[in-house]
Amino acid sequence: MPIVEAHILQGYSPTEKSRLSSALTDAIRFVVPAPDEAITVMLHEYPSEAYARGGQHRQPAPALPDPAQIVRDYLAAMEARDLDTAQGMLGDGFQMVFPATQPMTDLSELIAWSKGRYRFVKKTYDGFDAMHSGGVAVVYARGTLYGEWMDGTPFEGIRFIDRFEISGGKIVRQDVWNDMAEVRAK
């Protein structure tokens, strides 16, 4: 039964501490074959005046935003066609790659590219998976697409996976995979 103890400065909200406990539990599960209920995480909090580094008292760093929530908010803005909000969630050097496309760096490129493909498309989500890899947060959004082809014929149940990279609270990359071309070819 693994027991993990972490020492943190006071100042994090209950939600942030819960996120930290879940992330530590997940990290243990990557290596140790224990069920979640067998993993104990204890957070020990200390007031900032009880901690010094380099002779200086320090304040806790602000918690990073939940990367899965960033992706949810971005996708909701895109579906609502609130492009200004969605664009504001993108970081410097942002790239998105869809099947059979070159990387796009601006949402207007995506809108122009998709105009001749369908009248509209929306997503039903089966889940969001978040992890940390190579210095960025990685979020996978998965589910199915539904909408209407250009001739007005409805479609649904088309599988998709979107992979996002988040750095500094901003989306810096989006890769999209889906079965739209295969379904359309039928």
Side-chain angles (χ1 to χ4, degrees), residues 7-46:
H7 299 264
I8 61 174
L9 292 176
Q10 288 177 344
Y12 293 103
S13 74
T15 300
E16 293 163 344
K17 289 185 278 190
S18 178
R19 284 179 51 214
L20 178 57
S21 293
S22 292
L24 290 169
T25 299
D26 289 344
I28 295 299
R29 294 277 293 127
F30 270 117
V31 179
V32 178
D36 288 349
E37 63 272 8
I39 299 170
T40 301
V41 174
M42 293 185 281
L43 300 178
H44 302 282
E45 293 184 273
Y46 296 93

Side-chain angles (χ1 to χ4, degrees), residues 19 62-71 73-74 85-92 132 135-137 165-173:
R19 284 179 51 214
L64 294 171
D66 180 350
Q69 191 60 53
I70 291 170
V71 168
D73 293 346
Y74 167 77
T85 296
Q87 188 72 41
M89 301 176 81
L90 306 179
D92 293 338
H132 197 270
V136 296
E165 293 181 6
I166 294 109
S167 179
K170 300 281 189 173
I171 298 169
V172 294
R173 184 171 178 90

Side-chain angles (χ1 to χ4, degrees), residues 71 127-131 138-142 161-164 177:
V71 168
F128 293 83
D129 303 307
M131 65 207 67
V138 176
V139 177
Y140 287 91
R142 53 192 161 71
I161 291 178
D162 292 352
R163 181 186 183 275
F164 295 88
W177 296 273

